[in-house]
Coordinates of all heavy atoms in Angstrom, one line a residue:
L2172 N 9.2 3.3 -48.1 CA 9.4 4.6 -47.6 C 10.7 4.8 -46.8 O 11.1 6.0 -46.6 CB 8.2 4.8 -46.6 CG 6.8 4.8 -47.2 CD1 5.8 4.9 -46.0 CD2 6.6 6.0 -48.1
F2173 N 11.4 3.8 -46.5 CA 12.6 3.9 -45.7 C 13.8 3.2 -46.2 O 13.6 2.0 -46.7 CB 12.4 3.5 -44.2 CG 11.3 4.2 -43.5 CD1 10.0 3.7 -43.5 CD2 11.5 5.4 -42.9 CE1 9.0 4.4 -42.8 CE2 10.5 6.1 -42.2 CZ 9.3 5.6 -42.2
P2174 N 15.0 3.7 -46.2 CA 16.2 3.0 -46.6 C 16.3 1.7 -45.7 O 15.9 1.7 -44.5 CB 17.3 4.0 -46.4 CG 16.7 5.3 -46.3 CD 15.3 5.1 -45.7
I2175 N 16.9 0.7 -46.2 CA 17.1 -0.5 -45.5 C 17.9 -0.4 -44.2 O 17.8 -1.1 -43.2 CB 17.6 -1.6 -46.4 CG1 17.4 -3.0 -45.7 CG2 19.1 -1.4 -46.7 CD1 17.7 -4.2 -46.6
N2176 N 18.8 0.6 -44.2 CA 19.7 0.8 -43.0 C 19.1 1.9 -42.1 O 19.8 2.4 -41.2 CB 21.1 1.2 -43.5 CG 21.0 2.6 -44.2 OD1 20.0 3.0 -44.7 ND2 22.2 3.2 -44.4
M2177 N 17.9 2.3 -42.3 CA 17.2 3.3 -41.4 C 15.8 3.0 -41.2 O 14.9 3.6 -41.8 CB 17.4 4.7 -42.1 CG 17.0 5.9 -41.2 SD 17.2 7.5 -42.0 CE 18.9 7.6 -42.0
Q2178 N 15.5 1.9 -40.4 CA 14.2 1.5 -40.2 C 13.6 2.2 -39.0 O 14.2 2.4 -37.9 CB 14.2 0.0 -39.9 CG 14.6 -0.8 -41.2 CD 13.6 -0.7 -42.3 OE1 12.4 -1.1 -42.2 NE2 14.0 -0.1 -43.4
P2179 N 12.3 2.6 -39.0 CA 11.7 3.3 -37.9 C 11.3 2.4 -36.8 O 11.3 1.2 -37.0 CB 10.4 3.9 -38.6 CG 10.1 2.9 -39.6 CD 11.4 2.4 -40.2
P2180 N 10.9 2.9 -35.6 CA 10.4 2.0 -34.6 C 9.2 1.2 -35.0 O 8.5 1.6 -35.9 CB 10.1 3.0 -33.4 CG 10.8 4.3 -33.8 CD 10.9 4.3 -35.2
E2181 N 9.1 0.1 -34.3 CA 8.0 -0.8 -34.7 C 6.6 -0.2 -34.4 O 5.6 -0.4 -35.2 CB 8.1 -2.2 -34.0 CG 7.0 -3.2 -34.4 CD 7.2 -4.5 -33.7 OE1 8.2 -4.6 -32.9 OE2 6.4 -5.4 -33.9
H2182 N 6.5 0.5 -33.3 CA 5.2 1.0 -32.8 C 5.2 2.5 -32.8 O 6.1 3.1 -32.2 CB 4.9 0.5 -31.4 CG 4.8 -1.0 -31.4 ND1 5.8 -1.8 -30.8 CD2 3.9 -1.9 -31.8 CE1 5.5 -3.1 -30.9 NE2 4.3 -3.2 -31.5
L2183 N 4.2 3.1 -33.5 CA 4.1 4.6 -33.6 C 2.8 5.0 -33.0 O 1.8 4.2 -32.9 CB 4.3 5.0 -35.0 CG 5.6 4.7 -35.7 CD1 5.5 5.0 -37.2 CD2 6.8 5.3 -35.1
A2184 N 2.7 6.2 -32.6 CA 1.4 6.7 -32.1 C 1.1 8.1 -32.7 O 2.0 8.9 -32.9 CB 1.5 6.9 -30.6
Y2185 N -0.2 8.3 -32.9 CA -0.7 9.6 -33.4 C -1.3 10.3 -32.2 O -2.2 9.8 -31.5 CB -1.7 9.4 -34.5 CG -2.4 10.7 -34.9 CD1 -2.1 11.4 -36.1 CD2 -3.6 11.1 -34.2 CE1 -2.8 12.5 -36.5 CE2 -4.3 12.2 -34.6 CZ -3.9 12.9 -35.8 OH -4.6 14.0 -36.2
V2186 N -0.8 11.5 -31.9 CA -1.2 12.2 -30.7 C -1.7 13.7 -31.0 O -1.2 14.3 -32.0 CB -0.2 12.3 -29.6 CG1 0.3 10.9 -29.1 CG2 1.0 13.1 -30.0
E2187 N -2.7 14.1 -30.3 CA -3.1 15.5 -30.3 C -2.6 16.2 -29.1 O -2.7 15.7 -28.0 CB -4.6 15.6 -30.4 CG -5.3 15.0 -31.6 CD -6.8 15.1 -31.6 OE1 -7.3 15.5 -30.6 OE2 -7.4 14.8 -32.7
W2188 N -2.0 17.4 -29.3 CA -1.2 18.0 -28.2 C -2.1 19.0 -27.4 O -3.0 19.6 -27.9 CB 0.0 18.8 -28.8 CG 1.0 18.0 -29.4 CD1 1.2 17.8 -30.7 CD2 2.0 17.2 -28.7 NE1 2.3 16.9 -30.9 CE2 2.8 16.5 -29.7 CE3 2.3 17.0 -27.4 CZ2 3.8 15.7 -29.4 CZ3 3.3 16.1 -27.0 CH2 4.1 15.5 -28.0
F2189 N -1.7 19.0 -26.1 CA -2.3 20.1 -25.3 C -1.2 21.2 -25.1 O 0.0 21.0 -25.4 CB -2.6 19.5 -23.9 CG -3.9 18.6 -24.0 CD1 -3.8 17.3 -24.4 CD2 -5.1 19.1 -23.6 CE1 -4.9 16.5 -24.4 CE2 -6.2 18.3 -23.6 CZ -6.1 17.0 -24.1
S2190 N -1.6 22.3 -24.5 CA -0.7 23.4 -24.3 C 0.5 23.0 -23.5 O 0.4 22.1 -22.6 CB -1.4 24.6 -23.7 OG -2.0 24.2 -22.5
T2191 N 1.6 23.7 -23.6 CA 2.8 23.5 -22.8 C 2.6 24.0 -21.4 O 1.7 24.8 -21.1 CB 4.0 24.2 -23.4 OG1 3.7 25.6 -23.6 CG2 4.3 23.6 -24.8
F2192 N 3.4 23.5 -20.5 CA 3.3 23.9 -19.1 C 3.6 25.3 -18.9 O 4.6 25.9 -19.4 CB 4.2 23.0 -18.2 CG 3.8 21.6 -18.2 CD1 4.5 20.6 -18.9 CD2 2.7 21.2 -17.4 CE1 4.1 19.3 -18.9 CE2 2.4 19.8 -17.4 CZ 3.0 18.9 -18.1
A2193 N 2.8 26.0 -18.0 CA 3.2 27.3 -17.6 C 4.3 27.3 -16.6 O 4.8 26.2 -16.2 CB 1.9 28.0 -16.9
A2194 N 4.8 28.5 -16.2 CA 5.9 28.5 -15.3 C 5.6 28.0 -13.9 O 6.4 27.4 -13.2 CB 6.5 30.0 -15.2
H2195 N 4.3 28.2 -13.6 CA 3.9 27.8 -12.2 C 2.5 27.2 -12.3 O 1.7 27.6 -13.2 CB 3.9 29.0 -11.3 CG 5.2 29.6 -11.1 ND1 6.2 29.1 -10.4 CD2 5.6 30.8 -11.7 CE1 7.3 29.9 -10.5 NE2 7.0 31.0 -11.2
P2196 N 2.1 26.3 -11.4 CA 0.8 25.8 -11.3 C -0.2 26.8 -10.8 O 0.2 27.8 -10.2 CB 0.9 24.5 -10.4 CG 2.1 24.9 -9.5 CD 3.0 25.7 -10.4
E2197 N -1.5 26.5 -10.8 CA -2.5 27.3 -10.2 C -2.3 27.4 -8.7 O -1.9 26.4 -8.1 CB -3.9 26.8 -10.5 CG -4.4 27.1 -11.9 CD -5.9 26.8 -12.1 OE1 -6.5 26.2 -11.2 OE2 -6.4 27.1 -13.1
A2198 N -2.5 28.5 -8.1 CA -2.3 28.7 -6.7 C -3.3 27.9 -5.9 O -2.9 27.3 -4.9 CB -2.4 30.2 -6.3
A2199 N -4.5 27.8 -6.2 CA -5.5 27.1 -5.4 C -5.4 25.6 -5.5 O -5.3 24.9 -4.4 CB -6.9 27.6 -5.8

Side-chain angles (χ1 to χ4, degrees):
L2172 298 172
F2173 299 94
I2175 193 169
N2176 62 342
M2177 189 180 288
Q2178 294 294 295
E2181 180 181 0
H2182 300 103
L2183 303 173
Y2185 171 98
V2186 300
E2187 296 179 351
W2188 293 104
F2189 287 83
S2190 57
T2191 55
F2192 291 103
H2195 302 285
E2197 284 190 351

